[in-house]
Amino acid sequence: MNQQVPDYQAVMLNELSYRKSSNPAYSLRSFARDLGLSPSRLSEILTRKGDLSPEKAGPVAIMLGLRNKEVNLFR
């Protein structure tokens, strides 16, 4: 059975969903603030209209508290 490996957008969407389920007032704007991104840039990344720059990928992965295996998705 072939299991698909999640990409960084999927990891970010899952984290946003988790945070929203834990706090219904949590928004895309809140998530962008927490990641050090503008809301419009985060929206572009999550909808696959843009990519996360290599310069931002590492800091975003760290801010998400990802493990080493997951951090590699951001490279």
Side-chain angles (χ1 to χ4, degrees):
M1 185 183 281
N2 189 6
Q3 196 170 17
Q4 189 175 15
V5 176
D7 56 19
Y8 72 86
Q9 286 101 339
V11 171
M12 292 173 76
L13 283 168
N14 286 339
E15 181 64 21
L16 176 59
S17 178
Y18 171 76
R19 291 182 186 201
K20 282 181 157 185
S21 70
S22 299
N23 177 2
Y26 198 80
S27 64
L28 181 86
R29 186 174 297 275
S30 302
F31 194 44
R33 178 200 62 225
D34 293 346
L35 296 177
L37 300 169
S38 72
S40 61
R41 185 72 186 120
L42 178 58
S43 179
E44 288 174 356
I45 292 165
L46 296 179
T47 59
R48 300 176 191 275
K49 293 178 183 171
D51 289 321
L52 190 59
S53 72
E55 295 79 26
K56 277 295 203 180
V60 166
I62 290 168
M63 286 181 228
L64 289 172
L66 300 178
R67 296 179 301 242
N68 287 341
K69 181 179 176 185
E70 295 164 318
V71 168
N72 289 332
L73 296 174
F74 286 75
R75 294 190 177 136

